[in-house]
Amino acid sequence: MNLRVGFILVIISLISFLQVSGQRTTKGYIQDGISKAKLGNFQAAIDDFNKAIEIDSMEAEPYYNKGLVESQMSDYNAAIRDFTRVIWLKPFYADPYYNRGLAKDFLKDYHGAISDYNKAVSLKADFADAYFNAGLARMDLNDYKGASEDFSRGLQYKPEYAPGYYNRGLALFSRKILPDAIEDFSHAIRLDSSVPDYYSSRGAAFASSGQYDEAIKDFERTIKANPENVTAHMNMGLALLYLKNYKKAIEDYTRAIQLDPLNHEAYANRGVAFQHTDDLRSACENWKKALLLGSEKVKTYIQKYCP
């Protein structure tokens, strides 16, 4: 769910067209390229931008648009080269840094991405999407404190952005600041109640704080919206184990196994639920299956309870 905010696709005031002889030809190639890109004819668009560059290699706009098209084609290395050229020509615009950062993000160069996002916000202080993407990159680096701070900065400028609260909630959850995580997940739900992951994550936070009844309500909402959500069934089963509702826990772990037959954690936990219903035979069958699938924790159960 923690998806990056996308590329800036519209140029508002980044570049002005040439005011010299050949203006129409250069402008024509750029406009033709943009039109072709909108129709999904990416290679033809790139060809037009290259023709504009041949006319004047110091004009930034064709490099910028070419970088956008290359990003749409997932050719992120080429996009980075073109955005870098734009930055060399026009170093005081935030958008090229942002888009180069996003291309680096997709290449998993998270440190490089953060550096570019930071440069973007240094040039445009209210650049909320740059803060949000920087936060996501920090989460990929397990810097949850830094991520929380970036999400908070982004929310200052985009306070009705539900994913911002959700992602900050995930960062706070990772830091075990559970009350604040629950509040952020709840705020995301108030802004957009249609996203199952918001309920699932709040349910996990409720469960981690020992509020199992509340957790189950959220997992039920998640499963109702998406019956094939394996994680929700797993979380539901665990909450039910804590509430000693073993028969219902078995049902949720069984559903998780139906959806993901190689889920050794589901077999291991279903074995625990069977054990508590005094069905030791079924418990051992589940633990042995979990062991075959790679679970280590069930070895102790098998040694202790299974002949």
Side-chain angles (χ1 to χ4, degrees):
M1 187 59 207
N2 49 351
L3 299 175
R4 265 64 178 177
V5 184
F7 291 93
I8 305 284
L9 298 178
V10 179
I11 305 172
I12 297 173
S13 61
L14 178 63
I15 309 296
S16 61
F17 289 110
L18 293 175
Q19 300 297 319
V20 297
S21 177
Q23 176 184 14
R24 290 186 179 179
T25 302
T26 303
K27 183 173 182 179
Y29 279 127
I30 293 171
Q31 291 299 330
D32 286 348
I34 291 172
S35 298
K36 290 171 183 176
K38 290 178 178 178
L39 294 173
N41 194 351
F42 294 142
Q43 189 55 57
I46 288 175
D47 291 342
D48 279 333
F49 297 138
N50 282 333
K51 289 174 183 175
I53 290 168
E54 288 175 7
I55 295 171
D56 186 350
S57 62
M58 298 301 289
E59 174 62 56
E61 186 169 7
Y63 291 105
Y64 184 82
N65 282 290
K66 188 154 75 85
L68 292 174
V69 172
E70 288 158 345
S71 298
Q72 294 299 309
M73 298 172 69
S74 300
D75 189 354
Y76 299 117
N77 285 309
I80 289 169
R81 287 194 295 271
D82 280 314
F83 291 135
T84 299
R85 179 69 173 178
V86 176
I87 289 167
W88 182 76
L89 291 167
K90 300 285 184 178
F92 301 113
Y93 289 91
D95 289 355
Y97 288 102
Y98 171 84
N99 284 318
R100 189 176 69 174
L102 190 52
K104 291 177 180 179
D105 232 332
F106 281 111
L107 291 175
K108 302 187 187 303
D109 177 10
Y110 301 124
H111 290 290
I114 290 168
S115 177
D116 275 341
Y117 294 140
N118 285 343
K119 183 62 177 180
V121 298
S122 73
L123 294 168
K124 183 181 177 183
D126 62 348
F127 204 151
D129 291 348
Y131 286 118
F132 291 137
N133 282 356
L136 292 172
R138 291 187 197 280
M139 288 185 70
D140 284 314
L141 293 170
N142 298 322
D143 178 9
Y144 300 113
K145 183 176 185 296
S148 301
E149 293 169 354
D150 276 326
F151 294 135
S152 293
R153 293 188 186 101
L155 287 167
Q156 288 180 333
Y157 302 108
K158 204 171 180 179
E160 301 302 308
Y161 186 58
Y165 290 99
Y166 172 71
N167 288 321
R168 189 174 68 178
L170 291 177
L172 292 167
F173 181 81
S174 296
R175 296 170 64 193
K176 303 187 186 306
I177 307 176
L178 299 176
D180 290 351
I182 290 168
E183 177 55 33
D184 271 347
F185 293 140
S186 297
H187 200 149
I189 289 167
R190 286 193 292 271
L191 291 170
D192 184 357
S193 61
S194 68
V195 183
D197 283 349
Y198 294 176
Y199 293 101
S200 181
S201 295
R202 188 176 68 173
F206 274 133
S208 294
S209 62
Q211 301 179 67
Y212 299 114
D213 289 325
E214 293 300 319
I216 286 172
K217 292 177 185 177
D218 276 338
F219 296 143
E220 286 175 341
R221 293 186 184 102
T222 306
I223 291 168
K224 183 178 180 181
N226 183 5
E228 297 186 358
N229 188 316
V230 176
T231 301
H233 285 289
M234 292 292 293
N235 287 336
M236 174 77 88
L238 189 59
L240 291 165
L241 280 179
Y242 280 111
L243 290 174
K244 300 182 180 181
N245 189 344
Y246 302 118
K247 291 184 178 180
K248 181 65 172 64
I250 289 169
E251 292 177 7
D252 277 291
Y253 285 127
T254 298
R255 182 58 179 151
I257 290 167
Q258 290 171 345
L259 295 167
D260 181 8
L262 301 180
N263 190 329
H264 61 76
E265 188 74 14
Y267 281 105
N269 288 353
R270 189 171 69 170
V272 172
F274 274 123
Q275 177 199 10
H276 284 288
T277 63
D278 297 321
D279 185 352
L280 198 56
R281 182 182 64 82
S282 295
C284 289
E285 289 176 354
N286 276 266
W287 289 332
K288 289 176 181 178
K289 180 66 174 179
L291 182 64
L292 287 173
L293 292 173
S295 174
E296 291 293 324
K297 75 176 185 179
V298 296
K299 290 181 179 178
T300 302
Y301 298 148
I302 293 171
Q303 292 171 356
K304 184 174 182 180
Y305 296 107
C306 303

